[in-house]
Amino acid sequence: MRRDLPYALGGLLLGVLLLANAALTPDAGPVRALDVVLVLAMAAALAVCRRYPVAALAVVTAAMLALHVRVHAGVTAAFPVLATVYMAAWLGRRAPALLASVVFLGGFLARDVSIAPAGRPGQQIVERTALLLGWFVAANVAGLVARQRRAYLEQVEKRAVEAERTREEMALRRAGEERLRIARDLHDSLTHSISVIKVQAGIAVHLARKHGEEPSAALLAIQESSAAAMRELRATLDVLRAPSDGERVGLARVGELVERTRAANVPVQVTVTGQPRDLPADVDQAGYRVVQEALTNVARHAGPATAEIHIEYGPAQLTVSVTDDGQASPVRPVTPGVGLRGMRERVTGLGGTLQAAARDGGGFAVRATFPLDGAA
């Protein structure tokens, strides 16, 4: 209601201006009760023009035409109509705004012509009509320009938010890839070498004792140190392979993804079937990541689309699917990117399967299935 207050005050001010002009203009008719009702109807319509622009435009145009016909209020009767025409054009109702402009100008001109004296030249009527025509053209154009500017600013803001989010995700992804590369290098180099040292030291100790000799202290120290080094190296590799975020995510937080996606003007519906239950941590996180990547692709590549998330808890498997009705088509095969490859690696690494392809009726579908019976 606070956002409607300026429009209501503007309607009241215009109503006062109309009544004052009708009272002070020499060639205006007397103001009666019906004329006051028309002014009040105009003010009420202006108060709700932000919510109901077409209805308000129709009421204001009809009321001001009737007032001009009854009282001959002059060009001041066009002011409320100009305001609602601008508001309708700004809100994207271009056709009603143009129609209201033509109707009001036609009625205004017909009224002026009908009451003009027989010997009076038409120059004044033409000038006044041309002036109103310029005002209405300016109101329509200004509304369209304001709408386009607002859409441009919203698009710039969305791009900035998306760029920031993508930058953060890419930084996290690169950090994770670098961490895994280091883990692989350590595993391939140090683990192999330390394992060989441990095995050889163990063999040497065994042979010494087999021959009735006591192994040297240095050999025993090598055996113990190599075993300790293996334990510490495994712990280090576990830390490197751990998720980069300290807080583990899961399907319980899908609602946050849905809200963020809806905030980006992508309608999302969520359906959960089966009995939700505690999942293995890796499966829970992988399911969340599949939904996250699929919704990201919908927001970035699907165009105007709606998305549907279906999470199915089966007796022995978990199924997560995300579908949309966007621009993807089976005629144009989709080239897998980093996101799709990452999803497939997550799912197959847990013994599951991933299907990602364009739908026959248009749009894209991602379906991941995870085993819950320990097969992985």
Side-chain angles (χ1 to χ4, degrees):
M1 295 299 296
R2 290 182 179 178
R3 297 180 64 183
D4 295 330
L5 185 59
Y7 302 99
L9 294 177
L12 291 177
L13 290 176
L14 286 175
V16 173
L17 177 63
L18 283 170
L19 295 176
N21 181 73
L24 298 176
T25 302
D27 59 345
V31 177
R32 296 181 173 87
L34 181 57
D35 303 321
V36 177
V37 171
L38 291 174
V39 171
L40 293 177
M42 176 274 298
L46 276 179
V48 297
C49 66
R50 182 180 61 88
R51 300 187 183 187
Y52 311 103
V54 177
L57 186 61
V59 172
V60 171
T61 303
M64 292 300 97
L65 269 180
L67 182 68
H68 181 64
V69 170
R70 288 176 52 83
V71 183
H72 194 228
V75 294
T76 54
F79 294 164
V81 185
L82 287 169
T84 50
V85 164
Y86 170 82
M87 181 61 63
W90 181 57
L91 294 176
R93 310 301 197 273
R94 291 180 291 181
L98 182 60
L99 179 61
S101 302
V102 173
V103 170
F104 184 84
L105 284 173
F108 192 93
L109 178 61
R111 169 62 175 167
D112 281 359
V113 172
S114 64
I115 65 172
R120 181 181 178 183
Q123 180 181 1
Q124 184 179 1
I125 298 177
V126 172
E127 290 178 352
R128 185 157 61 174
T129 304
L131 178 63
L132 285 179
L133 176 62
W135 286 357
F136 275 97
V137 171
N140 281 272
V141 172
L144 294 178
V145 171
R147 176 174 176 81
Q148 292 177 357
R149 176 172 175 78
R150 184 181 66 171
Y152 171 75
L153 293 177
E154 290 178 353
Q155 187 68 20
V156 169
E157 184 178 356
K158 288 180 182 178
R159 288 179 180 176
V161 173
E162 179 69 15
E164 184 66 23
R165 186 185 62 82
T166 304
R167 188 181 303 112
E168 292 177 358
E169 289 185 354
M170 287 299 296
L172 292 175
R173 184 176 299 171
R174 289 175 180 173
E177 292 174 353
E178 182 66 16
R179 204 172 52 249
L180 292 177
R181 185 190 66 80
I182 295 173
R184 286 194 299 267
D185 292 344
L186 289 175
H187 181 274
D188 295 340
S189 58
L190 294 180
T191 304
H192 174 73
S193 301
I194 296 176
S195 297
V196 171
I197 294 173
K198 180 183 176 183
V199 170
Q200 291 178 345
I203 293 175
V205 170
H206 174 72
L207 292 177
R209 288 174 177 169
K210 185 177 181 180
H211 290 90
E213 300 176 359
E214 186 63 27
S216 63
L219 191 58
L220 292 174
I222 291 174
Q223 184 184 29
E224 181 63 27
S225 298
S226 59
M230 284 294 297
R231 290 192 299 269
E232 294 176 1
L233 184 57
R234 289 195 184 98
T236 302
L237 294 179
D238 290 340
V239 172
L240 288 174
R241 291 193 178 102
S244 58
D245 50 350
E247 182 182 359
R248 183 176 293 274
V249 295
L251 292 176
R253 299 179 59 180
V254 166
E256 300 176 12
L257 293 177
V258 172
E259 292 301 323
R260 288 199 296 267
T261 307
R262 287 173 179 169
N265 295 327
V266 179
V268 182
Q269 296 180 353
V270 182
T271 303
V272 179
T273 58
Q275 183 62 37
R277 60 184 186 274
D278 292 335
L279 300 172
D282 292 337
V283 173
D284 197 19
Q285 185 181 24
Y288 173 89
R289 296 301 185 190
V290 168
V291 175
Q292 181 185 41
E293 186 64 32
L295 290 181
T296 300
N297 290 337
V298 171
R300 295 178 61 185
H301 305 301
T306 59
E308 295 182 2
I309 302 172
H310 186 197
I311 302 174
E312 181 181 357
Y313 293 86
Q317 69 179 16
L318 170 72
T319 303
V320 178
S321 63
V322 181
T323 59
D324 66 81
D325 55 0
Q327 300 174 351
S329 172
V331 180
R332 297 173 297 176
V334 179
T335 303
V338 177
L340 285 178
R341 289 197 297 267
M343 279 195 292
R344 192 175 301 279
E345 291 172 358
R346 284 182 179 274
V347 177
T348 56
L350 295 171
T353 58
L354 178 74
Q355 298 174 352
R359 303 166 62 191
D360 293 335
F364 201 77
V366 176
R367 180 184 175 88
T369 304
F370 302 90
L372 300 177
D373 55 358

